[in-house]
Amino acid sequence: MIRQAIEKSKADFAYFDRKSMKSEERKKISKILEKLGLSVLKESEIREKYEN
């Protein structure tokens, strides 16, 4: 399901609202995403990279 979401959205990265997920869940999904070649960025990293 994660792979399909990546393919359909053509995502460059993933982001988690840290307050909305338990740490264990976030780590598990992060590992899956990284195996699929997608990095997980923090809000500050997104702003730094994509803000004009």
Side-chain angles (χ1 to χ4, degrees):
M1 186 162 80
I2 294 173
R3 184 176 306 141
Q4 290 176 349
I6 294 168
E7 290 171 359
K8 288 181 180 183
S9 69
K10 299 179 183 169
D12 294 326
F13 63 88
Y15 166 77
F16 296 118
D17 179 9
R18 295 184 166 271
K19 295 177 184 175
S20 67
M21 293 182 110
K22 292 181 181 181
S23 177
E24 287 181 25
E25 294 171 338
R26 198 171 53 245
K27 287 177 185 177
K28 184 177 180 179
I29 295 172
S30 291
K31 286 181 183 180
I32 294 169
L33 291 168
E34 289 174 5
K35 285 182 183 178
L36 294 172
L38 205 65
S39 58
V40 178
L41 301 180
K42 295 179 183 177
E43 184 177 353
S44 60
E45 294 171 322
I46 295 169
R47 287 182 184 189
E48 183 180 304
K49 188 171 183 177
Y50 293 98
E51 212 171 69
N52 293 329

